[in-house]
Amino acid sequence: MTAEAQRRRAFWQILLIAAGLLILAVISAGSVYLVNKAREDSKWVVHTIEVENQINSLLLEIRRAESSARGFLLTQAEGFKIDHEKAVEAIVPALDKLTRQSGDNPAQRENVEKLSAAIETRLGQFAQEMEFIRQGQPDKAAALIREVVSTDATAAITRIATGMIQEEERLFRLRSENADRSQTFAASMTGIGSGLVVLLALISTWLVRRSARARDEAEARLRDANVNLESVVDERTADLREANDEIQRFAYIVSHDLRSPLVNIMGFTSELEELGGDIFHRIGSLAHVSAEGAPLAPAGPGEIVLDGADKQLSEDFSEALGFIKTSIAKMDRLISAILNLTREGRREFQPVKIDTREMIEAVVSTLAHQAAEAQAEIRLEPLPDIVSDRLALEQIFSNLIDNAIKYLKSGVPGEIRIRGRTKLGYAIFEISDNGRGIDPKDHQRIFDLFRRAGTQDKPGQGIGLAHVRALVRRLGGTMSVSSELNAGSTFTITLPIAWNESNRNAER
Amino acid sequence: MTQPVTIIMIEDDEGHARLIERNIRRSGVNNEIVSFQNGTDAMQHLFGADGSGLVQKGNALLILLDLNLPDMTGIDILRQIKENKYLKASPVVVLTTTDDSQEIKRCYELGCNVYITKPVNYENFANAIRQLGLFFSVIQVPPAAP
C-alpha cells in the first residue's frame, strides 16, 4: 500500500466523521425546531377547542337566560328570576373572554363584534321583558317575546355562533393537520438522520476494519522482513566467519610451509659456512706449502693465516653468508610472528572478572627493568574493572606500555600515564607518554603488520600494534592514537565493560 | 645381546633428511640410518606386510618422525607405533616445523620421547639422539682413527 492511498483513506475517515457530526447537529437542531413547532401547533389546536367551548358555553348561558325568563313569565316564581339574573350576569364575562380569545383571528373578531351586538340587543330585550313582568304586564312581555322570536336577534346569535363554531372547526382541522404534519416531519427527520448516522457508522467501521487488516498485513510483512533480515545477517556473519577462518588457516598453512624450505636454506647455509671454512683452510695450507716448499702437518683451523687476495675472498664469502643468515633469521622471526598471530586469532577467549589495576600493576612490574633503564615513571590512575579475556588484556597493555617505554625521548625522563573511565557500557583506557610521538601521516601505518614509523633505532618487527589492534577488535572494542612528533602519544582503547559470547559472535 | 640401533628416519623433505643425517654423523653417531620419504613405505617397513610389526621383533630402533608427510600425518604413525607391542619400546623423536603447544602436548601424550622444532639446533638434537640411543642400546661410534 502506498503512502498516497493511506493519506486518502485517512482523509475519507475524517470526512466521514465530520459528516456524521454535521448530520447529528442538523438532526438535533431540526428536532428542537420541530418539537417547538409541534408544541405551538398543539397549542393552537387547544386554543381552537377552547374558543369553540367558549362559544358553546356562551350560547348555553343565553339559552339559560331565555328559558329562565320564559319560566319566570309563566310562573312568576322568584327561582326563575334569580336563575335568569345569574345567566345574564354570566353572559357578559363569557362574551368578554370570547372577545379576548378570538383576538388573533380578524374574521372571528368581526363575528364576535356582530355577536356582541346581537347579544346586546337580546340583553336589552331581556331587560325589557323582565321590566314588563315586574310591572305586572305579562302580556306585553309575552308579546315582546313573540316579537323577539319573530325578529332575527336570536336567530342572528345562533347563526353567528354556528358560523363561528364552523370556523373554529375548520381551524381545528387545519391546525390538527399542521400539528400532525410537524410531528410526522420530526419523526421522519429523526428516523432518516438516525439511519444516516448508522450508515456512516457502518462505513466507518468498515474502513477501520479495512485499515486494521491492512495494518495487520503490514505488520506480518514487517515481521517476515525482520526474520529474513535476521537470517540474512546470520548468513553473512557465518560467511564472514568462514572467510576469517579460511584466512587464518591460509596464513597458518602458508607460514608453516614457508618454514620448511627455510629450514633447508638455513641448514645448508650452515653447511656452506663450514665448507667455506674447510676450503679456505685448504687454500691457506696449499699457499703455505707452495711458499715454504714443505707440507704442513694437518693442523686445526684458524692456525692458517690467509693473506692478500685469499684473505679478501674469505672475508667476502663470510660477509655474503652473514647477510644470508641475518635475512634467514629475520624471515624466521616474521614467519613465527604470523604463526603466533594466527594462533592468537584461533584462541578461544575466556571472559573473567578482571581487577584492571592489579592486572596492569603486574604488567608494569614485568617491565620495571626497562622502565628503570629508560628513567620512566609509570603512573596508574583509577581504572574501571571489566569482564574480558585476561591474557588478551595483558598482551594489549604489555605491548602498549612496552612501546611507551621503548620510544621515549632520549635524555628526557619518561612519564607514562594510564587513565580509565567508563561510558555507555564501555571502558575507555588511555595510555599516554611524553615520548617522541608519531607523525600524523603514520597513524594508520603503525597498525599495519610489519610496518614501523619514526627513527628505526630500536629492535622490533612491527608486530605489536597490529597484534594489539586485532585483540581489541576481537574483544569487541576499538583503538585509536592521537599524537604529534615530539609531543608524546596517547593510545585510546575502548572495550566493552562486560564481554561475553554474544559479543564475540557479533564480532567474529 | 647387544645389538646396534637402527635409526629409522621418516622425512619427506630430502634437504631436511640430508641435514639431519649429516648432523647425526657429525656428532659421531655411526648407526645405520634407514630413510623413508613417505608414510606408506615407512609403515610397510615398520609393520611388515601383515601389519603386525612382528618383523621388527627384537630389533633396536630409533625413529625420527616428521609430522608433515605427504600421504599421512605423523601423529597417526606415532599412535600406531606406540600401540604396537613390538614397536612401542622404540624411542620416537618428533621433528616438525610447528611449535604449536597443542600439537606438542598431543605428541607427548601419545608417547613421543623428544619433540624437536625445526629449524633445528643440531647440537642439542644430536645430543638428544645420542642419549636416547644409549638409554636404549648400543650406539655405534666410529672406530678409532688408525
Side-chain angles (χ1 to χ4, degrees), chain A residues 488-505:
Chain A
S489 312
T490 300
F491 284 88
T492 309
I493 302 170
T494 308
L495 290 169
I497 288 177
W499 183 84
N500 54 42
E501 290 293 311
S502 65
N503 284 146
R504 184 183 55 193
N505 288 342

Side-chain angles (χ1 to χ4, degrees), chain A residues 2 115 147 242 317 337 360 460 464 500:
Chain A
T2 61
L115 190 65
E147 192 191 339
E242 214 164 274
F317 190 85
I360 295 183
N500 54 42

Side-chain angles (χ1 to χ4, degrees), chain A residues 274-347:
Chain A
E274 249 174 67
L275 268 176
D278 289 350
I279 288 166
F280 284 110
H281 186 245
R282 288 219 34 182
I283 289 172
S285 61
L286 286 175
H288 278 278
V289 166
S290 56
E292 290 164 20
L296 269 156
E303 286 175 31
I304 306 293
V305 182
L306 295 167
D307 35 43
D310 290 345
K311 193 180 177 199
Q312 185 64 43
L313 275 178
S314 166
E315 276 169 7
D316 285 355
F317 190 85
S318 304
E319 192 192 42
L321 280 179
F323 277 121
I324 292 173
K325 288 181 90 170
T326 327
S327 300
I328 292 168
K330 184 170 181 193
M331 193 157 172
D332 187 44
R333 281 199 304 274
L334 295 184
I335 290 170
S336 302
I338 296 176
L339 270 176
N340 283 333
L341 276 182
T342 58
R343 207 168 287 147
E344 276 303 320
R346 279 132 73 104
R347 193 170 70 84

Side-chain angles (χ1 to χ4, degrees), chain A residues 386-431:
Chain A
I386 64 175
V387 175
S388 206
D389 183 78
R390 192 182 181 89
L391 188 57
L393 270 193
E394 278 175 2
Q395 288 177 340
I396 290 168
F397 281 105
S398 164
N399 266 295
L400 290 176
I401 298 170
D402 186 42
N403 276 353
I405 296 171
K406 228 159 119 182
Y407 302 111
L408 285 170
K409 273 186 276 198
S410 47
V412 180
E415 193 181 300
I416 297 161
R417 277 168 186 279
I418 298 158
R419 276 187 292 259
R421 64 201 152 93
T422 59
K423 190 179 179 186
L424 299 172
Y426 282 87
I428 301 168
F429 298 100
E430 288 179 352
I431 293 108

Side-chain angles (χ1 to χ4, degrees), chain A residues 133-405:
Chain A
I133 293 170
R134 212 169 33 248
Q135 287 165 1
Q137 301 170 312
D139 301 339
K140 275 189 178 175
L144 188 59
I145 288 171
R146 265 194 301 278
E147 192 191 339
V148 165
V149 170
S150 66
T151 62
D152 59 359
T154 311
I157 289 173
T158 311
R159 201 183 60 240
I160 293 165
T162 311
M164 281 182 76
I165 285 169
Q166 275 168 354
E167 169 68 10
E168 285 302 320
E169 271 172 0
R170 189 184 63 83
L171 280 175
F172 174 75
R173 275 196 305 278
L174 198 74
R175 288 172 176 169
S176 290
E177 266 170 32
N178 270 347
D180 276 357
R181 212 169 34 242
S182 299
Q183 268 166 5
T184 312
F185 194 47
S188 52
M189 184 160 181
T190 308
I192 291 169
S194 305
L196 269 178
V197 167
V198 167
L199 187 70
L200 286 180
L202 283 177
I203 293 174
S204 237
T205 311
W206 180 69
L207 277 178
V208 164
R209 284 187 65 175
R210 206 177 65 172
S211 76
R213 206 165 47 237
R215 198 195 53 224
D216 286 352
E217 276 169 17
E219 257 174 24
R221 273 202 301 278
L222 192 67
R223 217 164 30 238
D224 284 357
N226 269 343
V227 168
N228 262 346
L229 193 66
E230 261 168 40
S231 68
V232 166
V233 166
D234 281 352
E235 231 168 73
R236 297 280 151 83
T237 313
D239 285 352
L240 278 181
R241 200 169 300 158
E242 214 164 274
N244 189 45
D245 289 352
E246 186 80 2
I247 289 172
Q248 299 271 8
R249 261 199 309 281
F250 172 77
Y252 186 77
I253 289 170
V254 163
S255 45
H256 203 266
D257 286 3
L258 280 178
R259 247 194 169 172
S260 227
L262 199 65
V263 168
N264 278 336
I265 298 172
M266 203 173 205
F268 284 105
T269 308
S270 299
E271 294 288 311
L272 262 185
E273 201 174 23
E274 249 174 67
L275 268 176
D278 289 350
I279 288 166
F280 284 110
H281 186 245
R282 288 219 34 182
I283 289 172
S285 61
L286 286 175
H288 278 278
V289 166
S290 56
E292 290 164 20
L296 269 156
E303 286 175 31
I304 306 293
V305 182
L306 295 167
D307 35 43
D310 290 345
K311 193 180 177 199
Q312 185 64 43
L313 275 178
S314 166
E315 276 169 7
D316 285 355
F317 190 85
S318 304
E319 192 192 42
L321 280 179
F323 277 121
I324 292 173
K325 288 181 90 170
T326 327
S327 300
I328 292 168
K330 184 170 181 193
M331 193 157 172
D332 187 44
R333 281 199 304 274
L334 295 184
I335 290 170
S336 302
I338 296 176
L339 270 176
N340 283 333
L341 276 182
T342 58
R343 207 168 287 147
E344 276 303 320
R346 279 132 73 104
R347 193 170 70 84
E348 295 281 304
F349 284 165
Q350 300 293 330
V352 288
K353 179 124 185 68
I354 298 169
D355 179 344
T356 316
R357 189 182 179 86
E358 176 245 5
M359 182 206 76
I360 295 183
E361 272 170 357
V363 169
V364 167
S365 70
T366 64
L367 296 166
H369 178 64
Q370 288 100 304
E373 263 186 4
Q375 295 180 303
E377 194 195 346
I378 300 172
R379 268 192 240 157
L380 296 189
E381 288 179 14
L383 299 166
D385 291 352
I386 64 175
V387 175
S388 206
D389 183 78
R390 192 182 181 89
L391 188 57
L393 270 193
E394 278 175 2
Q395 288 177 340
I396 290 168
F397 281 105
S398 164
N399 266 295
L400 290 176
I401 298 170
D402 186 42
N403 276 353
I405 296 171

